[in-house]
Amino acid sequence: MAAAATRAVRRLLIASRSLHAISSEGAAREAATSFVHPAAVVHPDAVVGQGVSIGPFCTVGASARIGDACQLHAGSHVMGDTELGERCVVLTGAILGSDIPGQTIIGENNVIGHHAVVGVKCQDLKYKSGDECFLQIGNNNEIREYCSIHRSSKSCDCTVIGDNNLIMGSCHIAHDCRIGNNNIFANNTLFAGHVVVEDCTHTAGAVVVHQFCHIGSFSFLGGGSVIAQDVPRYMMVAGDRAELRGLNLEGLKRNGFSDQEVRMLRKAYQQVFMPSINSQSSFDERLAELEREIELSETHEASLILWTGHMV
């Protein structure tokens, strides 16, 4: 009797394991199978990865490449030579790429918001029809609703956006801009062509940045500002034709700067940008004096000097 019971238990365990294995294989097959809604239009030459979901009224062009586990929500479109990395989400109404020469490359884990337009032809009047133009976006970016991001104006240039950026609603990034990592752009921030933004910057709403400006790391651009000149690292600027308003103290703290580093930067800022009333020294002389006082190494103070010297 005991032996029969033992055999029954063994058979039950074997059956359970078999069922679990079959269930796991079925789940894996289901995850690997892409779903294309009957109302979507996917060109037969398009490359669609595993586990992709394409909703109704989407279109995917002949040269498009959709990475694994991407989600294209209803009414979104991928056009032209466009590569979409794994696990991206494209929300309703968004348009990626364009049927013009060149390429749009979007990395992994990006979210493209409702009705955003990413990788279309630039608005530079110097652009010549037929020229190749390029856009490259990194990983883990959130590009919110109604944003517009344009390709480069020439085949020798490229619009570039790095990793881990939050680009809020209705922002505009024009041709040939180069955006770094870990930036936050609030609603209606507008970058003209050829703007360079380093890392860990923050704009408040409705900021306008003139073409060819350079925005330094850890800086803050106040709401409604018009930026017509380069912004040094670590600074806070604001105003129509923005002016320096001091160090971005809150931003420095949030990014892990120590109290000692902040004090050193404050001293450097005051020495260079806030001379005493009786001071007769020029800007260049104050900068050279500060450079003599500190050891030029990989410090934030040294970075400020090198950056400011580049601006002069």
Side-chain angles (χ1 to χ4, degrees):
M1 181 72 71
T6 301
R7 286 195 297 272
V9 170
R10 286 177 179 172
R11 285 196 296 269
L12 179 60
L13 287 173
I14 293 170
S16 298
R17 288 170 183 166
S18 298
L19 287 173
H20 177 71
I22 293 171
S23 176
S24 299
E25 291 173 2
R29 282 195 300 271
E30 184 176 350
T33 302
S34 294
F35 169 77
V36 179
H37 193 279
V41 178
V42 179
H43 195 281
D45 292 337
V47 178
V48 178
Q50 296 182 338
V52 174
S53 174
I54 301 178
F57 312 113
C58 294
T59 58
V60 178
S63 301
R65 297 174 298 285
I66 311 296
D68 295 346
C70 285
Q71 300 177 36
L72 273 60
H73 287 225
S76 57
H77 308 279
V78 182
M79 306 168 62
D81 187 355
T82 299
E83 180 178 328
L84 190 61
E86 296 180 0
R87 297 178 299 280
C88 287
V89 178
V90 184
L91 297 178
T92 297
I95 299 175
L96 308 184
S98 180
D99 288 319
I100 57 176
Q103 189 177 44
T104 298
I105 299 177
I106 300 174
E108 300 176 355
N109 297 309
N110 293 292
V111 177
I112 313 296
H114 298 87
H115 302 281
V117 179
V118 177
V120 297
K121 186 181 76 171
C122 68
Q123 297 174 147
D124 189 346
L125 295 178
K126 297 188 296 296
Y127 171 77
K128 296 180 181 179
S129 180
D131 281 357
E132 290 188 324
C133 48
F134 302 95
L135 167 66
Q136 184 168 344
I137 298 177
N139 305 322
N140 305 309
N141 297 287
E142 184 170 3
I143 300 169
R144 294 298 300 267
E145 59 275 6
Y146 297 101
C147 287
S148 56
I149 302 175
H150 291 174
R151 291 200 215 171
S152 61
S153 59
K154 298 179 180 179
S155 59
C156 58
D157 289 321
C158 182
T159 305
V160 177
I161 297 175
D163 303 329
N164 304 305
N165 296 290
L166 171 57
I167 304 173
M168 298 187 193
S170 301
C171 289
H172 174 65
I173 298 176
H175 58 90
D176 308 297
C177 284
R178 291 186 172 269
I179 310 297
N181 307 314
N182 302 301
N183 297 290
I184 299 175
F185 305 144
N187 300 66
N188 296 293
T189 294
L190 310 177
F191 294 106
H194 302 277
V195 168
V196 175
V197 181
E198 295 184 355
D199 302 328
C200 302
T201 69
H202 192 167
T203 73
V207 168
V208 179
V209 182
H210 192 273
Q211 60 187 6
F212 292 101
C213 283
H214 195 132
I215 311 300
S217 296
F218 304 104
S219 59
F220 178 84
L221 282 55
S225 297
V226 177
I227 311 297
Q229 295 176 298
D230 293 347
V231 177
R233 292 171 183 164
Y234 319 115
M235 301 299 171
M236 180 169 57
V237 302
D240 185 353
R241 304 303 183 272
E243 299 177 351
L244 288 176
R245 306 293 181 177
L247 288 176
N248 179 23
L249 296 175
E250 186 62 33
L252 296 177
K253 292 176 183 177
R254 291 181 180 181
N255 283 282
F257 283 66
S258 67
D259 292 342
Q260 181 180 0
E261 288 173 325
V262 172
R263 284 194 297 270
M264 292 176 64
L265 283 170
R266 190 197 297 268
K267 178 182 177 182
Y269 173 83
Q270 292 173 343
Q271 186 169 341
V272 174
F273 296 104
M274 299 177 62
S276 64
I277 297 176
N278 298 324
S279 175
Q280 301 297 320
S281 61
S282 67
F283 180 87
D284 290 341
E285 291 170 342
R286 295 194 300 273
L287 189 63
E289 180 182 357
L290 178 62
E291 187 172 350
R292 287 192 299 270
E293 290 180 3
I294 69 169
E295 179 182 357
L296 278 179
S297 59
E298 293 298 323
T299 65
H300 298 297
E301 192 177 11
S303 178
L304 173 62
I305 291 175
L306 294 173
W307 168 264
T308 309
H310 163 74
M311 291 174 57
V312 177

